[in-house]
Amino acid sequence: MTAEFTPVHRSSAAAEAVRLIQEMIVDGRLVPGQRLPAERELSEMLRISRPTLRETIRSLVSLNILESRHGSGTYVAALDTAALLEPLEFVMSLSGRTLDELFEARLLIEPALAALAASRADAGQVAAMRAALAEPDRVSADMALHRLIAEAAGNALLATMLQTLSALGRASRAVTATRPGVLRRTAAEHAAIVEAIDRRDPDAARAAMAEHLRRIAAAAGVTTIGLTT
């Protein structure tokens, strides 16, 4: 597969080249695992200097969009959501309001996803949720269950949004999991959510998810208005 690279403007050449390569990935002209042309060839295609191209590639590598392989070249990365969110996690960690905003967002999205899952989940999806409940690593099981519920909701955009929130919430899960009684209560609340989904009861699934998130937020020390009952 050969991609056609459009020459970029001279002003802010590196930023324009970054934007162009991102655009080519989004519209499918570049795909995960694809090798970019050699440096000299690519700089000629883009009509930018090789130092500017190197700056472009460094920027995209730092964003986990491209991957440099020693002795092999530059490739489009796997574009895994968790990896793409790593730079954003750092930015979010600079804000003292991160947890408050994170739980507000989760409370807006996840109860609705649970309700949709109760309406749309098939038997295989419910079985996968029950399997997640039995996972010995409780933090991993927690993330897996919330992901499975989002997938069962049948809305790819909302599922992607939740995946973003889950990646940002990895650190908070690790902290709250150490609090006394949290894991035991979480297991019971997760089971209640799955039971409501299995019963095809959207209202119960929504309420169970909201109650679970409020309690976890309280355990994390979050007390924003958006979390009040």
Side-chain angles (χ1 to χ4, degrees), residues 135-212:
E135 284 291 325
D137 183 334
R138 298 316 307 160
V139 173
S140 295
D142 185 323
M143 296 184 69
L145 178 63
H146 285 266
R147 174 181 55 79
L148 289 166
I149 291 170
E151 290 174 355
N155 185 306
L157 179 58
L158 287 175
T160 299
M161 292 171 66
L162 180 63
Q163 194 172 359
T164 301
L165 296 176
S166 294
L168 295 174
R170 277 195 297 257
S172 69
R173 278 180 162 94
V175 171
T176 54
T178 64
R179 305 286 167 80
V182 165
L183 290 180
R184 176 181 53 78
R185 291 188 61 184
T186 294
E189 290 163 358
H190 281 169
I193 295 167
V194 174
E195 286 298 330
I197 292 172
D198 196 14
R199 292 197 312 271
R200 303 295 187 263
D201 188 337
D203 290 339
R206 184 192 303 271
M209 179 65 81
E211 178 58 28
H212 166 60

Coordinates of all heavy atoms in Angstrom, one line a residue, residues 135-212:
E135 N -12.7 -12.9 38.0 CA -11.3 -12.6 37.8 C -10.6 -12.4 39.2 O -11.1 -11.6 39.9 CB -11.0 -11.5 36.9 CG -11.3 -11.8 35.4 CD -10.2 -12.7 34.9 OE1 -9.1 -12.6 35.3 OE2 -10.6 -13.6 34.0
P136 N -9.5 -13.0 39.4 CA -8.8 -12.8 40.7 C -8.2 -11.4 40.9 O -8.1 -10.9 42.0 CB -7.7 -13.9 40.8 CG -7.5 -14.2 39.3 CD -8.8 -14.0 38.6
D137 N -7.7 -10.8 39.8 CA -7.1 -9.4 39.9 C -8.3 -8.4 39.8 O -8.9 -8.2 38.8 CB -6.2 -9.2 38.7 CG -5.5 -7.8 38.7 OD1 -6.1 -6.9 39.4 OD2 -4.4 -7.7 38.2
R138 N -8.6 -7.9 41.0 CA -9.9 -7.1 41.1 C -9.8 -5.8 40.3 O -10.8 -5.4 39.8 CB -10.2 -6.8 42.6 CG -10.4 -8.1 43.4 CD -11.3 -9.1 42.8 NE -12.6 -8.5 42.3 CZ -13.4 -9.1 41.4 NH1 -13.0 -10.2 40.8 NH2 -14.5 -8.5 41.0
V139 N -8.6 -5.2 40.3 CA -8.5 -3.9 39.5 C -8.7 -4.2 38.0 O -9.5 -3.5 37.4 CB -7.2 -3.2 39.8 CG1 -7.1 -2.0 38.9 CG2 -7.1 -2.8 41.3
S140 N -8.1 -5.2 37.5 CA -8.2 -5.6 36.1 C -9.7 -6.0 35.8 O -10.2 -5.7 34.8 CB -7.3 -6.7 35.7 OG -5.9 -6.2 35.8
A141 N -10.2 -6.7 36.8 CA -11.6 -7.2 36.6 C -12.6 -6.0 36.6 O -13.5 -6.0 35.8 CB -12.0 -8.1 37.8
D142 N -12.3 -5.0 37.4 CA -13.1 -3.8 37.5 C -13.1 -3.1 36.1 O -14.2 -2.9 35.5 CB -12.6 -2.9 38.5 CG -13.4 -1.6 38.7 OD1 -14.0 -1.1 37.8 OD2 -13.5 -1.2 39.9
M143 N -12.0 -2.9 35.5 CA -11.9 -2.2 34.2 C -12.5 -3.1 33.1 O -13.2 -2.5 32.2 CB -10.4 -1.9 33.9 CG -9.8 -0.9 34.9 SD -8.1 -0.4 34.5 CE -8.4 0.5 33.0
A144 N -12.3 -4.4 33.2 CA -12.9 -5.3 32.2 C -14.4 -5.2 32.2 O -15.0 -5.2 31.2 CB -12.3 -6.7 32.4
L145 N -14.9 -5.3 33.4 CA -16.4 -5.3 33.5 C -17.0 -4.0 33.0 O -18.0 -4.1 32.2 CB -16.8 -5.5 35.0 CG -18.3 -5.5 35.2 CD1 -19.0 -6.7 34.4 CD2 -18.7 -5.6 36.7
H146 N -16.5 -2.9 33.3 CA -17.0 -1.6 32.9 C -16.9 -1.5 31.3 O -17.8 -1.0 30.7 CB -16.3 -0.5 33.6 CG -16.8 -0.3 35.0 ND1 -17.8 0.6 35.3 CD2 -16.4 -0.9 36.1 CE1 -18.0 0.6 36.6 NE2 -17.1 -0.3 37.2
R147 N -15.8 -2.1 30.8 CA -15.6 -2.1 29.3 C -16.7 -3.0 28.7 O -17.3 -2.6 27.7 CB -14.2 -2.6 29.0 CG -14.0 -2.7 27.5 CD -12.6 -3.2 27.2 NE -12.2 -4.4 27.9 CZ -12.7 -5.7 27.5 NH1 -13.4 -5.8 26.5 NH2 -12.3 -6.7 28.2
L148 N -16.9 -4.2 29.2 CA -17.9 -5.1 28.7 C -19.3 -4.5 28.7 O -20.0 -4.7 27.7 CB -17.8 -6.4 29.4 CG -16.6 -7.3 29.2 CD1 -16.5 -8.4 30.3 CD2 -16.6 -7.9 27.8
I149 N -19.6 -3.8 29.8 CA -20.9 -3.2 29.8 C -21.1 -2.1 28.8 O -22.1 -2.0 28.1 CB -21.1 -2.6 31.2 CG1 -21.3 -3.7 32.3 CG2 -22.4 -1.7 31.3 CD1 -21.3 -3.2 33.7
A150 N -20.0 -1.3 28.6 CA -20.0 -0.3 27.5 C -20.2 -0.9 26.1 O -20.9 -0.4 25.3 CB -18.8 0.5 27.6
E151 N -19.5 -2.0 25.9 CA -19.6 -2.7 24.6 C -21.0 -3.2 24.4 O -21.5 -3.1 23.3 CB -18.5 -3.8 24.5 CG -17.1 -3.2 24.4 CD -16.1 -4.4 24.4 OE1 -16.5 -5.5 24.7 OE2 -14.9 -4.1 24.3
A152 N -21.6 -3.8 25.5 CA -22.9 -4.4 25.3 C -24.0 -3.3 25.1 O -25.0 -3.6 24.6 CB -23.2 -5.2 26.6
A153 N -23.7 -2.1 25.5 CA -24.6 -1.0 25.3 C -24.9 -0.7 23.8 O -25.9 -0.1 23.4 CB -24.1 0.3 25.9
G154 N -23.9 -1.1 22.9 CA -24.1 -1.0 21.5 C -23.9 0.3 20.9 O -24.4 0.6 19.8
N155 N -23.2 1.2 21.6 CA -22.9 2.6 21.1 C -21.4 2.7 21.0 O -20.8 2.9 22.1 CB -23.6 3.6 21.9 CG -23.5 5.0 21.3 OD1 -22.4 5.5 21.0 ND2 -24.6 5.7 21.2
A156 N -20.8 2.6 19.9 CA -19.4 2.7 19.8 C -18.8 4.0 20.2 O -17.7 4.0 20.8 CB -19.0 2.4 18.3
L157 N -19.5 5.1 20.0 CA -18.9 6.4 20.4 C -18.9 6.5 21.9 O -17.9 6.9 22.5 CB -19.8 7.5 19.9 CG -19.4 8.9 20.3 CD1 -17.9 9.2 19.8 CD2 -20.3 9.9 19.6
L158 N -20.0 6.0 22.6 CA -20.0 6.1 24.1 C -19.0 5.1 24.7 O -18.3 5.4 25.7 CB -21.4 5.8 24.6 CG -22.4 6.9 24.4 CD1 -23.8 6.3 24.9 CD2 -22.1 8.1 25.2
A159 N -18.8 3.9 24.0 CA -17.8 3.0 24.5 C -16.4 3.5 24.4 O -15.6 3.3 25.3 CB -17.9 1.7 23.7
T160 N -16.1 4.3 23.3 CA -14.8 4.9 23.2 C -14.6 6.0 24.3 O -13.5 6.1 24.8 CB -14.6 5.5 21.8 OG1 -14.8 4.5 20.8 CG2 -13.3 6.2 21.7
M161 N -15.7 6.7 24.5 CA -15.6 7.8 25.6 C -15.3 7.1 26.9 O -14.5 7.6 27.7 CB -16.9 8.6 25.6 CG -17.1 9.4 24.4 SD -18.8 10.2 24.4 CE -18.7 11.2 25.8
L162 N -15.9 6.0 27.2 CA -15.7 5.3 28.5 C -14.3 4.8 28.5 O -13.6 4.8 29.6 CB -16.7 4.2 28.7 CG -16.5 3.4 30.0 CD1 -16.7 4.4 31.2 CD2 -17.4 2.2 30.1
Q163 N -13.8 4.3 27.4 CA -12.4 3.7 27.4 C -11.4 4.9 27.7 O -10.4 4.7 28.4 CB -12.1 3.1 26.0 CG -10.8 2.3 26.0 CD -10.6 1.6 24.7 OE1 -11.5 1.7 23.8 NE2 -9.6 0.8 24.6
T164 N -11.7 6.1 27.3 CA -10.9 7.2 27.6 C -10.9 7.5 29.1 O -9.9 7.7 29.7 CB -11.4 8.5 26.8 OG1 -11.4 8.2 25.4 CG2 -10.6 9.7 27.2
L165 N -12.1 7.5 29.7 CA -12.3 7.7 31.1 C -11.6 6.6 31.9 O -11.0 6.9 32.9 CB -13.7 7.8 31.5 CG -14.5 9.0 30.9 CD1 -16.0 8.9 31.2 CD2 -13.9 10.3 31.3
S166 N -11.7 5.4 31.4 CA -11.1 4.3 32.2 C -9.6 4.4 32.2 O -9.0 4.1 33.2 CB -11.5 2.9 31.5 OG -12.9 2.7 31.7
A167 N -9.0 4.8 31.1 CA -7.6 5.0 31.0 C -7.1 6.1 32.0 O -6.1 5.9 32.7 CB -7.1 5.3 29.6
L168 N -7.9 7.1 32.1 CA -7.6 8.2 33.0 C -7.8 7.8 34.4 O -7.2 8.4 35.3 CB -8.4 9.5 32.7 CG -8.2 10.1 31.3 CD1 -9.2 11.2 31.1 CD2 -6.7 10.7 31.2
G169 N -8.6 6.8 34.7 CA -9.0 6.4 36.0 C -8.2 5.3 36.6 O -8.5 4.8 37.7
R170 N -7.2 4.8 35.8 CA -6.4 3.7 36.3 C -5.8 4.0 37.7 O -5.8 3.1 38.6 CB -5.3 3.3 35.3 CG -5.8 2.4 34.2 CD -4.6 1.8 33.5 NE -3.8 2.8 32.8 CZ -3.8 3.1 31.5 NH1 -4.6 2.5 30.7 NH2 -3.0 4.1 31.0
A171 N -5.2 5.1 37.8 CA -4.5 5.5 39.1 C -5.5 5.5 40.3 O -5.2 5.0 41.4 CB -3.8 6.8 39.0
S172 N -6.7 6.1 40.0 CA -7.7 6.2 41.1 C -8.2 4.8 41.5 O -8.4 4.6 42.7 CB -8.9 7.1 40.7 OG -9.7 6.5 39.7
R173 N -8.3 3.9 40.6 CA -8.7 2.6 40.9 C -7.7 1.9 41.8 O -8.1 1.2 42.8 CB -9.0 1.7 39.7 CG -10.3 2.0 39.0 CD -10.4 1.1 37.7 NE -11.7 0.9 37.2 CZ -12.3 1.7 36.3 NH1 -11.7 2.7 35.8 NH2 -13.6 1.5 36.0
A174 N -6.5 2.1 41.5 CA -5.4 1.5 42.3 C -5.4 2.0 43.7 O -5.1 1.2 44.7 CB -4.0 1.7 41.6
V175 N -5.7 3.3 43.9 CA -5.8 3.9 45.2 C -7.0 3.4 46.0 O -6.9 2.9 47.1 CB -5.8 5.4 45.1 CG1 -6.1 6.0 46.5 CG2 -4.5 5.9 44.6
T176 N -8.2 3.5 45.4 CA -9.4 3.1 46.1 C -9.4 1.6 46.5 O -10.0 1.2 47.5 CB -10.7 3.5 45.3 OG1 -10.6 2.9 44.0 CG2 -10.8 5.0 45.2
A177 N -8.8 0.8 45.6 CA -8.8 -0.6 45.9 C -8.1 -1.0 47.2 O -8.3 -2.1 47.8 CB -8.1 -1.4 44.7
T178 N -7.2 -0.1 47.7 CA -6.5 -0.4 49.0 C -7.3 0.0 50.2 O -6.9 -0.3 51.3 CB -5.2 0.4 49.0 OG1 -5.4 1.8 49.0 CG2 -4.3 0.0 47.8
R179 N -8.4 0.7 50.0 CA -9.2 1.1 51.2 C -10.0 -0.1 51.8 O -10.4 -0.9 51.0 CB -10.2 2.2 50.7 CG -9.6 3.4 50.0 CD -8.9 4.3 51.0 NE -8.0 5.3 50.4 CZ -8.4 6.4 49.8 NH1 -9.7 6.7 49.9 NH2 -7.6 7.3 49.3
P180 N -10.1 -0.1 53.1 CA -10.7 -1.2 53.8 C -12.2 -1.4 53.3 O -13.0 -0.5 53.2 CB -10.7 -0.8 55.2 CG -9.6 0.1 55.4 CD -9.5 0.9 54.1
G181 N -12.5 -2.7 52.9 CA -13.8 -3.0 52.5 C -14.2 -2.7 51.1 O -15.3 -3.1 50.6
V182 N -13.4 -1.9 50.4 CA -13.8 -1.4 49.1 C -13.9 -2.6 48.1 O -14.9 -2.7 47.3 CB -12.8 -0.4 48.6 CG1 -13.0 -0.2 47.0 CG2 -13.0 0.9 49.3
L183 N -13.0 -3.5 48.1 CA -13.0 -4.6 47.1 C -14.2 -5.5 47.3 O -14.9 -5.9 46.4 CB -11.7 -5.4 47.2 CG -10.5 -4.7 46.6 CD1 -9.3 -5.7 46.7 CD2 -10.7 -4.3 45.2
R184 N -14.5 -5.7 48.6 CA -15.7 -6.6 48.9 C -17.0 -5.9 48.5 O -17.9 -6.6 47.8 CB -15.7 -6.9 50.4 CG -16.9 -7.7 50.8 CD -16.9 -8.0 52.3 NE -16.8 -6.7 53.1 CZ -17.8 -5.9 53.3 NH1 -19.0 -6.1 52.8 NH2 -17.6 -4.8 54.0
R185 N -17.2 -4.7 48.8 CA -18.4 -4.0 48.4 C -18.5 -3.8 46.9 O -19.6 -3.9 46.3 CB -18.5 -2.6 49.1 CG -18.7 -2.7 50.6 CD -18.9 -1.4 51.2 NE -20.1 -0.8 50.7 CZ -20.5 0.5 51.1 NH1 -19.8 1.2 51.9 NH2 -21.6 1.0 50.5
T186 N -17.3 -3.5 46.3 CA -17.3 -3.4 44.8 C -17.8 -4.7 44.1 O -18.6 -4.6 43.2 CB -15.9 -3.0 44.3 OG1 -15.6 -1.7 44.8 CG2 -15.9 -3.0 42.8
A187 N -17.3 -5.8 44.6 CA -17.7 -7.1 44.1 C -19.2 -7.3 44.1 O -19.9 -7.7 43.2 CB -17.0 -8.2 44.8
A188 N -19.8 -6.9 45.3 CA -21.2 -7.1 45.5 C -22.0 -6.1 44.5 O -23.0 -6.5 43.9 CB -21.6 -6.8 46.9
E189 N -21.5 -4.9 44.4 CA -22.2 -3.9 43.5 C -22.0 -4.3 42.1 O -23.0 -4.2 41.3 CB -21.5 -2.5 43.8 CG -21.9 -1.9 45.1 CD -21.0 -0.8 45.6 OE1 -20.1 -0.5 44.8 OE2 -21.3 -0.2 46.6
H190 N -20.9 -4.8 41.7 CA -20.7 -5.3 40.3 C -21.7 -6.4 40.0 O -22.3 -6.5 38.9 CB -19.3 -5.8 40.1 CG -18.3 -4.6 39.8 ND1 -17.0 -4.8 39.8 CD2 -18.5 -3.3 39.6 CE1 -16.4 -3.7 39.6 NE2 -17.3 -2.7 39.4
A191 N -21.9 -7.3 41.0 CA -22.8 -8.4 40.8 C -24.2 -7.9 40.6 O -25.0 -8.4 39.8 CB -22.7 -9.4 42.0
A192 N -24.6 -6.9 41.4 CA -25.9 -6.3 41.3 C -26.2 -5.7 39.9 O -27.2 -5.8 39.3 CB -26.1 -5.3 42.4
I193 N -25.1 -5.0 39.4 CA -25.3 -4.4 38.1 C -25.5 -5.5 37.0 O -26.4 -5.4 36.2 CB -24.0 -3.6 37.8 CG1 -23.9 -2.4 38.7 CG2 -24.0 -3.1 36.3 CD1 -22.5 -1.7 38.7
V194 N -24.7 -6.5 37.1 CA -24.8 -7.6 36.1 C -26.1 -8.3 36.2 O -26.7 -8.7 35.2 CB -23.6 -8.6 36.2 CG1 -23.8 -9.8 35.3 CG2 -22.3 -7.9 35.9
E195 N -26.6 -8.5 37.4 CA -27.9 -9.2 37.6 C -29.0 -8.3 37.0 O -29.9 -8.9 36.3 CB -28.2 -9.4 39.1 CG -27.4 -10.5 39.8 CD -27.7 -11.8 39.2 OE1 -28.8 -12.1 38.7 OE2 -26.8 -12.7 39.2
A196 N -28.9 -7.0 37.1 CA -30.0 -6.1 36.5 C -29.9 -6.2 35.0 O -30.9 -6.2 34.3 CB -29.8 -4.7 37.0
I197 N -28.7 -6.2 34.5 CA -28.5 -6.4 33.0 C -29.1 -7.7 32.5 O -29.8 -7.8 31.5 CB -27.0 -6.2 32.6 CG1 -26.6 -4.8 32.9 CG2 -26.8 -6.6 31.2 CD1 -25.1 -4.5 32.7
D198 N -28.8 -8.8 33.3 CA -29.3 -10.1 32.9 C -30.8 -10.2 33.0 O -31.4 -10.9 32.1 CB -28.6 -11.1 33.8 CG -28.8 -12.5 33.3 OD1 -29.1 -12.7 32.1 OD2 -28.5 -13.5 34.0
R199 N -31.4 -9.4 33.9 CA -32.9 -9.4 34.0 C -33.5 -8.5 33.0 O -34.7 -8.4 32.9 CB -33.3 -8.9 35.4 CG -32.9 -9.8 36.5 CD -33.8 -9.4 37.8 NE -33.8 -8.0 38.1 CZ -32.8 -7.4 38.8 NH1 -31.9 -8.1 39.4 NH2 -32.9 -6.1 39.1
R200 N -32.7 -7.8 32.2 CA -33.2 -6.9 31.2 C -34.0 -5.8 31.9 O -35.1 -5.4 31.4 CB -34.1 -7.6 30.1 CG -33.4 -8.7 29.4 CD -32.2 -8.1 28.6 NE -31.6 -9.1 27.7 CZ -30.5 -9.8 28.0 NH1 -29.9 -9.6 29.2 NH2 -30.0 -10.7 27.2
D201 N -33.4 -5.2 33.0 CA -34.1 -4.2 33.8 C -33.2 -2.9 33.7 O -32.3 -2.7 34.5 CB -34.2 -4.6 35.2 CG -35.0 -3.7 36.1 OD1 -35.1 -2.5 35.7 OD2 -35.5 -4.1 37.1
P202 N -33.5 -2.0 32.7 CA -32.6 -0.8 32.5 C -32.6 0.1 33.7 O -31.6 0.6 34.1 CB -33.3 -0.2 31.3 CG -33.9 -1.3 30.5 CD -34.4 -2.2 31.6
D203 N -33.8 0.3 34.3 CA -33.8 1.2 35.5 C -33.0 0.7 36.6 O -32.3 1.5 37.3 CB -35.3 1.4 35.9 CG -36.1 2.2 34.9 OD1 -35.5 2.9 34.1 OD2 -37.4 2.1 35.0
A204 N -33.1 -0.6 36.9 CA -32.3 -1.2 38.0 C -30.8 -1.1 37.7 O -30.0 -0.8 38.5 CB -32.7 -2.6 38.3
A205 N -30.4 -1.4 36.4 CA -29.0 -1.3 36.0 C -28.5 0.1 36.2 O -27.4 0.3 36.6 CB -28.9 -1.8 34.6
R206 N -29.3 1.1 35.7 CA -28.9 2.5 35.8 C -28.7 2.9 37.3 O -27.6 3.5 37.7 CB -29.9 3.4 35.2 CG -29.5 4.9 35.2 CD -30.8 5.7 34.8 NE -31.3 5.3 33.6 CZ -31.0 5.8 32.4 NH1 -30.0 6.7 32.4 NH2 -31.5 5.4 31.3
A207 N -29.6 2.5 38.2 CA -29.5 2.9 39.6 C -28.4 2.2 40.3 O -27.6 2.8 41.1 CB -30.8 2.5 40.3
A208 N -28.1 0.9 39.9 CA -27.1 0.1 40.5 C -25.7 0.7 40.2 O -24.8 0.8 41.0 CB -27.1 -1.3 40.2
M209 N -25.6 1.1 38.9 CA -24.3 1.7 38.4 C -24.1 3.0 39.1 O -22.9 3.3 39.6 CB -24.3 1.8 36.9 CG -23.0 2.4 36.4 SD -21.5 1.4 36.6 CE -21.7 0.3 35.3
A210 N -25.1 3.9 39.2 CA -25.0 5.2 39.8 C -24.6 5.1 41.3 O -23.7 5.8 41.8 CB -26.3 6.0 39.7
E211 N -25.2 4.1 42.0 CA -24.9 4.0 43.4 C -23.4 3.5 43.6 O -22.7 3.9 44.5 CB -25.8 2.9 44.0 CG -25.6 2.6 45.5 CD -25.6 3.8 46.4 OE1 -26.3 4.8 46.0 OE2 -24.9 3.8 47.4
H212 N -23.0 2.6 42.7 CA -21.6 2.1 42.8 C -20.6 3.2 42.5 O -19.7 3.3 43.3 CB -21.5 1.0 41.7 CG -20.0 0.6 41.4 ND1 -19.2 0.1 42.4 CD2 -19.3 0.7 40.3 CE1 -18.0 -0.1 41.8 NE2 -18.0 0.2 40.6

